[in-house]
Amino acid sequence: MKNLKIKIARMEMGISQIQLAEMAGVTRQTIGMIEAGDFNPSLRLCIDICRSLNKTLDELFWEEDLK
Amino acid sequence: MRNGELDERQKQKRVEAGNRSFWIVISLCLAMNFITLFWDVSDKYMSLGYSLIVLAGILSYSAGNIREGIWDSKLPAGPLGSLLFSFCFSGIITIFYWGMLIAARNPGDDLPVNKMAGICFSVVFVITFAIYFVMGWLTDKARKRNEEKYADE
């Protein structure tokens, strides 16, 4: 499932995938894969992404509609 | 991220490739053991069989890395890097080979050790360079393909 929340948060901050990747300490490809839903990041990486985007884990990774 | 460092996704993919190769090698070894139980296989063919199994494991691991665009980020890349790596690698192999020839030589033997070591160096150098260069090229291609697939829209 695509993670559009990260993409939206990134766009709100006006930063590119490369910039977010540098902030989170991963490659741009990894950020692209997370946004595309092709890679499940570890909790550590989720926290790093949240910190980089000034968001909480709930805001970026919690999926309300999943049961 | 430092240059040449792998991130968590790449490390995961590398571990997956390693696991896959491990089970391929184990399965092939078991198959080989069964074959040797039921058929009379000479030492020469057994040695060849196990060498091929090791090669299959290495190829499987390499293919897994190449597909993810992570052949080996710590080694030098490009034609010059491939040349440098091949030169060093074939040099090390040749030194061992030369030492083995010297050790195995009988006092009366007229073995052309230097010539054989030279041939060894040339052959290993060419093979290493070709494999390393092709693998680097394939990795680069896979990396670019992934870059395009997950491009920032």
Side-chain angles (χ1 to χ4, degrees):
Chain A
M1 188 184 278
K2 281 191 177 186
N3 191 330
L4 292 173
K5 292 174 189 172
I6 294 180
K7 197 169 185 175
I8 292 166
R10 185 167 60 76
M11 284 171 168
E12 280 173 359
M13 273 188 77
I15 59 171
S16 65
Q17 281 184 344
I18 296 174
Q19 286 167 312
L20 177 58
E22 280 170 8
M23 289 158 91
V26 291
T27 58
R28 192 201 63 76
Q29 224 178 80
T30 300
I31 296 295
M33 283 185 175
I34 294 169
E35 286 183 358
D38 287 348
F39 174 64
N40 285 324
S42 66
L43 183 58
R44 181 74 261 160
L45 180 53
C46 290
I47 292 169
D48 287 342
I49 291 171
C50 289
R51 281 198 177 132
S52 307
L53 295 172
N54 293 322
K55 298 276 182 187
T56 63
L57 279 169
D58 273 8
E59 284 171 322
L60 289 187
F61 293 99
W62 188 255
E63 290 166 349
E64 296 283 349
D65 51 344
L66 280 184
K67 287 178 184 174
Chain B
M1 248 186 99
R2 282 198 305 271
N3 197 21
E5 199 182 330
L6 301 178
D7 71 8
E8 85 169 41
R9 178 186 59 83
Q10 292 169 319
K11 280 179 191 163
Q12 267 184 33
K13 294 292 175 188
R14 178 159 279 195
V15 170
E16 278 172 25
N19 282 345
R20 202 166 35 242
S21 315
F22 173 78
W23 288 112
I24 285 173
V25 169
I26 292 292
S27 314
L28 290 175
C29 278
L30 283 173
M32 182 77 182
N33 286 349
F34 273 113
I35 290 169
T36 52
L37 272 177
F38 296 112
W39 282 281
D40 190 23
V41 183
S42 69
D43 286 351
K44 193 172 73 180
Y45 286 111
M46 272 197 28
S47 171
L48 180 69
Y50 284 115
S51 303
L52 287 175
I53 289 170
V54 171
L55 192 66
I58 293 169
L59 279 176
S60 158
Y61 182 67
S62 307
N65 280 299
I66 286 170
R67 203 171 44 237
E68 297 301 326
I70 45 170
W71 162 232
D72 204 325
S73 50
K74 284 192 174 63
L75 294 172
L80 203 66
S82 306
L83 270 175
L84 184 72
F85 175 78
S86 312
F87 185 82
C88 296
F89 181 74
S90 39
I92 292 166
I93 295 288
T94 307
I95 289 167
F96 277 107
Y97 181 65
W98 183 77
M100 270 166 35
L101 285 176
I102 296 283
R105 188 170 58 174
N106 291 323
D109 281 352
D110 190 22
L111 209 63
V113 175
N114 292 338
K115 190 182 167 188
M116 286 169 80
I119 292 169
C120 170
F121 180 84
S122 311
V123 171
V124 174
F125 180 80
V126 170
I127 291 172
T128 311
F129 178 74
I131 291 173
Y132 193 79
F133 187 73
V134 168
M135 283 185 167
W137 177 72
L138 287 173
T139 306
D140 209 38
K141 220 173 132 181
R143 195 182 295 127
K144 279 176 186 160
R145 193 183 57 231
N146 279 343
E147 284 287 331
E148 279 170 22
K149 192 176 170 187
Y150 298 103
D152 201 356
E153 292 154 13

